[in-house]
Amino acid sequence: MGARDQLRIDIRQDAGRAILSLDGELDMANAPLFQSALDGAELAAASTVVLDLQQLQFIDSTGLRIILATRERCRERGQEFAITPGSAQVQRLLSVTGVADHLRTVATPDELLV
């Protein structure tokens, strides 16, 4: 089973936002696939980047590091950055590490960011 089988990434543009929907597992094995999606031109052009974690079932420290690096890159570009809540495991990791306190969380990827 390859990385593409473990993590599906859907990118869509909507009203100046780039929404990346993650489905599956984000870990060391498929981090390069996620990083490649984050490096795409459509993200650089967006005013807001939303990571939709609603279908993400698992995340490890590598995935967490990439999410934090993405937040920092967005800050440097002057972009808004937000996530949606993920599975119980994802939310627990974000909470236990204290990362949840530093990420803007929206209920759905379509929630209007102001």
Side-chain angles (χ1 to χ4, degrees), residues 7 22 75 95 102 104:
L7 178 67
L22 307 180
R75 187 189 64 76
S95 178
H102 302 284
R104 182 173 184 183

Side-chain angles (χ1 to χ4, degrees), residues 39-94:
D39 292 338
E42 55 264 306
L43 264 67
S47 61
T48 302
V49 174
V50 179
L51 293 183
D52 180 5
L53 307 180
Q54 294 178 69
Q55 298 302 312
L56 191 64
Q57 297 304 309
F58 176 82
I59 186 172
D60 71 359
S61 61
T62 303
L64 186 61
R65 179 188 53 78
I66 294 172
I67 289 174
L68 290 171
T70 302
R71 180 191 65 134
E72 181 62 22
R73 182 185 296 176
C74 287
R75 187 189 64 76
E76 291 170 356
R77 291 178 177 166
Q79 298 169 305
E80 294 284 336
F81 177 78
I83 64 168
T84 63
S87 70
Q89 186 276 333
V90 171
Q91 292 308 112
R92 184 169 191 274
L93 180 66
L94 294 174

Side-chain angles (χ1 to χ4, degrees), residues 15-48:
R17 292 179 294 174
I19 300 168
L20 285 86
S21 298
L22 307 180
D23 185 350
E25 300 179 0
L26 177 55
D27 57 21
M28 185 170 43
N30 50 43
L33 177 65
F34 183 47
Q35 188 65 56
S36 176
L38 292 170
D39 292 338
E42 55 264 306
L43 264 67
S47 61
T48 302

